[in-house]
Amino acid sequence: AAIRNLVSDISQHVENGNALWQAFERWPRNFLPVDINLIKAAEASGTLNVILRRMVLYRERRAMLAKRLKGAMWYPVILVVTCVAVLFLIAKVVVPEFRDLFEKLDMPPESIPWYTHMVMNGAGTITSVPAMVGALIVLIGVPIAYVYAVRIPSIRYAVDHIKLRIPRIGKTITKKAAVVDMTRSMALLLRSGLSMMVTLDLVRSNIRNTAVAAVMQDVRDSVERGEGIEEPLRRASAIIPPVVTDMLVTGEDSGQLDSVAEHIAETYEEEVNITIGTIGELIQPILTLFIGVVVLVLFVSLFMPMLAVINNLINQTGGAGND
C-alpha cells in the first residue's frame, strides 16, 4: 500500500507538468540525493532508461553487500550468545546438583579439589541475583547507549574510525566494504554524466562510514582547489588502501576514473564475500573447541571427586569383605 501511494503521487506530480526528479524529491525517505541528481541528469541527457537500470543494479548490489555484512556480524554473536546461555544453564542447574550431592555424602571440604571449589564458587557467582541484574543492564543498556551516542557527530566519527581499525574484521571486511561503497557510488555518478564536484559531494553524503566520508570531503576540497585527488587520498592511507589510491590516480590521469572505480568495487566486493565465508567457516570449529574445553573442565571438576568417593567406597567395601 505504501509503494502504491508513492507511485500514485509521483505519477500525478509528473502529469501536472513537473519533472520526474522533482516528483522523486517529494519522497526524501525513499530517494536519496544521489537518486535525485541521477534522475535530473538522466532527464537532461535523455538517458533515463539507462540510468534507471544502473540505479536498480546499484541499489541491489549495495543492499546485498549490506545484508552479507550484517549476517557476518550477527552469526558469531548468535553462536556466542547460545554458548553463554548453555553455560549459564549448566551453572544454574547442573553444578548445584553436584554441590548438594557432595553435601549428602558428607564430603569434607578439604577432600574436594581446589579446582572443583573454583567451579562451584564461580557458578554461584554467575547465577547470583546481582550478577544477573548486572548482565541484563549491560545487555540492554549498552546497545541503547550506543544507538543514542552515535547520533552525536563526533562520537559517530570516532566509532566509525575504530571500526576500520579493528584487527581482522575492520581491515579485511569493514574497510573493504567502505571502499566498495565509495568506488561504486563514484562509478555510477561519473558514468551518468555528473561533474566531478557534484560526484564527490554525492559520494560523501552517500557513504555510511563517516570517517571515509570525511576523506571524500578532503578530496572534494582538493579538487575544488585544482590539486586533484591524489594528495588527500595519500594522507588518508590508514583509511583508503594505497593500492586503491594508485588505481584511482591512474584512472584520473587516463580519463577512465569511472571504469577504474567500478573495477575496484568489483574486486573488493569479491574479497569481502570470500572473507565473510572464511570467517563463518572458522568460527564453528573454534566455538566447538571452546565447548569441548568447557565440558572437559566440568567433567574433571565435578566427576573426578565423585569417582574418588566411589573408589573409596569400593575399597572400604572390599576391605570389610576380606575381614
Side-chain angles (χ1 to χ4, degrees), residues 12-302:
Q12 183 177 358
H13 201 67
V14 172
E15 288 176 358
N16 291 335
N18 298 289
L20 183 61
W21 70 268
Q22 292 174 327
F24 278 28
E25 199 174 28
R26 292 164 54 85
W27 296 84
R29 295 185 62 181
N30 298 86
F31 300 104
L32 300 173
V34 171
D35 304 321
I36 307 301
N37 281 270
L38 284 172
I39 295 299
K40 188 175 182 180
E43 286 188 292
S45 61
T47 58
L48 187 58
N49 58 335
V50 176
I51 300 302
L52 286 174
R53 289 194 187 97
R54 290 177 182 172
M55 288 175 60
V56 170
L57 181 61
Y58 168 77
R59 280 203 169 195
E60 287 177 348
R61 299 290 292 274
R62 196 173 192 229
M64 188 61 66
L65 181 61
K67 288 180 181 179
R68 291 195 187 103
L69 291 174
K70 289 180 180 179
M73 301 305 172
W74 278 108
Y75 179 67
V77 170
I78 292 173
L79 290 179
V80 171
V81 169
T82 303
C83 290
V84 171
V86 171
L87 292 178
F88 178 81
L89 186 64
I90 292 173
K92 185 70 175 177
V93 177
V94 178
V95 175
E97 291 292 333
F98 277 88
R99 182 187 290 112
D100 295 341
L101 184 59
F102 292 154
E103 292 176 356
K104 291 178 181 179
L105 293 174
D106 293 327
M107 293 180 63
E110 59 273 8
S111 65
I112 301 176
W114 61 271
Y115 46 82
T116 303
H117 282 292
M118 286 187 61
V119 170
M120 290 191 296
N121 293 335
T125 302
I126 293 173
T127 57
S128 64
V129 174
M132 289 190 291
V133 171
L136 285 175
I137 291 175
V138 171
L139 290 174
I140 298 174
V142 170
I144 294 176
Y146 174 82
V147 169
Y148 282 97
V150 294
R151 294 181 179 180
I152 302 173
S154 58
I155 296 179
R156 172 69 181 275
Y157 176 82
V159 170
D160 285 344
H161 212 282
I162 292 172
K163 288 179 181 178
L164 299 174
R165 294 176 174 270
I166 298 175
R168 297 295 299 173
I169 298 295
K171 294 182 178 180
T172 59
I173 295 182
T174 309
K175 182 182 291 187
K176 290 183 179 180
V179 170
V180 173
D181 207 9
M182 178 190 74
T183 52
R184 178 159 287 136
S185 300
M186 185 181 296
L188 173 66
L189 294 166
L190 289 174
R191 283 182 174 176
S192 301
L194 298 180
S195 67
M196 188 63 173
M197 293 298 298
V198 173
T199 294
L200 293 175
D201 276 331
L202 293 174
V203 169
R204 174 186 53 79
S205 64
N206 197 45
I207 293 177
R208 298 184 180 98
N209 191 292
T210 56
V212 180
V215 174
M216 296 310 298
Q217 179 63 47
D218 293 339
V219 173
R220 187 256 182 213
D221 295 341
S222 177
V223 172
E224 188 177 33
R225 295 191 300 267
E227 299 175 358
I229 66 174
E230 181 172 8
E231 184 179 348
L233 290 176
R234 298 289 183 197
R235 289 198 305 265
S237 58
I239 298 176
I240 307 298
V243 65
V244 173
T245 300
D246 292 338
M247 295 180 69
L248 290 177
V249 170
T250 302
E252 183 187 33
D253 294 339
S254 62
Q256 297 180 335
L257 185 57
D258 56 340
S259 299
V260 172
E262 181 66 25
H263 177 70
I264 293 172
E266 295 288 342
T267 302
Y268 271 64
E269 184 178 23
E270 184 64 26
E271 292 184 8
V272 169
N273 292 334
I274 293 173
T275 304
I276 289 175
T278 302
I279 291 177
E281 292 174 357
L282 288 176
I283 288 175
Q284 281 188 332
I286 291 174
L287 288 179
T288 302
L289 179 62
F290 171 75
I291 293 175
V293 171
V294 170
V295 171
L296 178 62
V297 170
L298 291 174
F299 176 81
V300 172
S301 302
L302 300 177

